Amino acid sequence: MRSVPDHQAAVAALIESPPAVRLPVFDALGCVTVDDITAPIGLPGFDNSAMDGYAVRAAEIASATPGSPVSLPVAEDIPAGRIDRLTLATGTAHRIMTGAPMPDGADAVIPVEATDGGTDAVTISDAVPAGRHVRRAGSDIESGESALRAGTLLGAPQVGLLAALGITEVAVVPRLRVVVLSTGTELITPGTPLQHGQIYESNGPMLTAAAIEAGAAATHMHYVTDEVAEFRARLDEISDDADLIITSGGVSAGAFEVVKDALATGGAVEFVKVAMQPGMPQGSGHHVSPSGRRVPIITLPGNPVSSLVSFEVFIRTPLRAAMGLPDDRPRITATLHADVRSPATKRQFLRGVLGVDDSGAPTVDPIGPPSSHHLRYLAGADALIDIAVGVEEVAAGSPVDVVVLGALPSVTVS
Ligand code: AMP
Ligand code: MG
């Protein structure tokens, strides 16, 4: 049997980084930049008001106090968006709104709250130093300064900065196109009536969702029956538009193992037993499309828990790495809340629910039986408890290694 780390290495070696592409900024959300990006313009682009108020020369209202205010005629209204260049004549004020361009000659803004709010003339009851409430051109970023470094993950604030800089396209590592294909003659589509012996296809939507959550552009293909010719034809159809194919089912030791039967000969896909529970039968390699493209293919077992745990253990991290994304599954040590047993020859990944003890340290409760069809417990877990090969029993109260699947606001992740 192959060890988990050895199969992790085999899968990781298959998944390659796609070449960088230029995308419209919004489409690059969630992708990682490949170039340093410098600001093509400064921000702000012009001196503007930080307050609704009155643009003045600070020296002209230096004596203003509540007891002895200063009055100035209001010569202009400057709403945000006014694009003509104005000059403040001595002895006057301009009523100005937040974000509106400062008139030449003005050096401060008196907030409306420190005035009577007048429209023809304004009475000002507070002095301000020069520069107050003025946002200087380039004070956020100067033209030519570095805006984002290569390797930056584009989230909402980064998209905002690029848009503010007037940048429309950005070079990024694109999302890998993952295509998920389930196999099984027993499968039918949710929404159609079940006959005895049939089940709703759940691995396809689940693995597609997992790939999307990992940052990939995943598509769920309609499943195929356990007919080799049908499976092969479907693989050929999808392989020109896929960077990675993930199949589920048809790889274990029974008869009618469609994926194995279709791909075991030819040597491009290797089928192995991995010393792991769940998820022992695994396969990985390449499928060569009719046009000659070599597409990495990873064949996961069909049991729902096995297939998702296999995705977590083998695919998620290298898939993210190929897109420049960091491993976002922290490993922590937690105190086990119940005795567990494990097969000595296998590494076991049990489903768990995280918590915290009185001192704030993480705890984990194993949930559900170890068998691989308990989707309900998988859906209720936020962690995988990782039990090493050679360990047959772990007693409640022991520290265990845990892979954190969900957000953990109340636990300090080290
Ligand atoms: P297999 O690996 O094809 O032998 O399937 C193992 C078990 O997983 C069987 O009980 C299948 O019915 C079930 N299974 C396989 N594929 C799926 C799927 N796409 N959705 C839900 N269950 C599945
Ligand atoms: Mg099957």
Side-chain angles (χ1 to χ4, degrees):
M1 268 198 280
R2 182 183 271 181
S3 72
V4 168
D6 283 354
H7 194 61
Q8 283 173 323
V11 169
L14 288 176
I15 306 177
E16 286 171 20
S17 274
V21 292
R22 292 189 70 78
L23 291 180
V25 166
F26 194 76
D27 295 347
L29 178 67
C31 297
V32 168
T33 59
V34 295
D35 299 326
D36 290 335
I37 298 170
T38 49
I41 56 171
L43 292 179
F46 49 90
D47 291 353
N48 69 84
S49 177
M51 301 289 279
D52 294 331
Y54 296 84
V56 295
R57 288 182 161 80
E60 291 180 359
I61 52 119
S63 67
T65 62
S68 162
V70 173
S71 282
L72 295 172
V74 175
E76 288 285 350
D77 264 339
I78 319 178
R82 200 166 159 176
I83 55 172
D84 52 339
R85 279 204 100 99
L86 295 169
T87 301
L88 183 72
T90 34
T92 68
H94 287 179
R95 193 158 73 125
I96 192 166
M97 302 305 142
T98 305
M102 290 290 287
D104 291 342
D107 59 11
V109 173
I110 311 296
V112 68
E113 295 80 0
T115 72
D116 66 352
T119 50
D120 296 330
V122 60
T123 301
I124 296 167
S125 42
D126 249 335
V128 290
R132 181 63 59 86
H133 305 309
V134 179
R135 304 161 172 167
R136 286 283 164 221
S139 58
D140 185 7
I141 189 166
E142 301 266 14
S143 171
E145 256 190 283
S146 166
L148 298 177
R149 301 228 166 275
T152 300
L153 174 60
L154 295 177
Q158 292 75 30
V159 166
L161 175 60
L162 294 175
L165 290 169
I167 293 172
T168 56
E169 281 193 347
V170 60
V172 293
V173 185
R175 295 172 192 283
L176 278 169
R177 296 165 306 164
V178 174
V179 176
V180 177
L181 180 59
S182 300
T183 64
T185 302
E186 73 279 30
L187 305 176
I188 65 160
T189 305
T192 46
L194 279 176
Q195 297 189 50
H196 180 69
Q198 294 184 323
I199 62 170
Y200 288 129
E201 207 274 279
S202 60
N203 289 347
M206 178 173 64
L207 292 167
T208 306
I212 290 171
E213 282 182 354
T219 359
H220 172 211
M221 284 297 134
H222 195 60
Y223 53 85
V224 290
T225 66
D226 293 318
E227 293 291 332
V228 168
E230 187 190 351
F231 175 70
R232 280 217 184 102
R234 205 80 183 101
L235 266 192
D236 284 349
E237 254 171 60
I238 63 182
S239 52
D240 273 330
D241 298 316
D243 299 315
L244 172 66
I245 297 170
I246 300 175
T247 66
S248 85
V251 293
S252 24
F256 318 111
E257 300 291 2
V258 63
V259 176
K260 231 178 181 176
D261 294 346
L263 303 175
T265 50
V269 179
E270 188 183 15
F271 292 93
V272 292
K273 286 184 176 171
V274 177
M276 160 169 158
Q277 187 184 64
M280 183 176 68
Q282 299 286 341
S284 61
H286 288 95
H287 176 69
V288 181
S289 80
S291 70
R293 270 189 91 223
R294 273 166 62 79
V295 188
I297 179 166
I298 299 164
T299 67
L300 302 179
N303 269 307
V305 177
S306 309
S307 73
L308 193 66
V309 170
S310 301
F311 181 91
E312 283 290 336
V313 172
F314 299 117
I315 302 178
R316 187 183 168 98
T317 300
L319 179 62
R320 288 178 60 79
M323 295 182 284
L325 301 171
D327 182 7
D328 63 348
R329 291 296 197 232
R331 298 184 72 92
I332 62 170
T333 302
T335 303
L336 188 64
H337 262 181
D339 297 343
V340 299
R341 296 191 59 78
S342 185
T345 55
K346 289 185 183 164
R347 181 154 161 194
Q348 187 171 220
F349 292 92
L350 290 167
R351 277 61 66 206
V353 176
L354 288 158
V356 280
D357 66 16
D358 292 343
S359 69
T363 61
V364 67
D365 282 275
I367 53 161
S371 348
S372 315
H373 62 284
H374 290 284
L375 201 43
R376 169 191 175 185
Y377 294 102
L378 183 66
D382 60 5
L384 294 175
I385 306 168
D386 183 355
I387 312 282
V389 175
V391 176
E392 286 184 274
E393 291 182 19
V394 188
S398 307
V400 282
D401 280 350
V402 169
V403 181
V404 180
L405 302 176
L408 262 187
S410 58
V411 172
T412 313
V413 174
S414 55

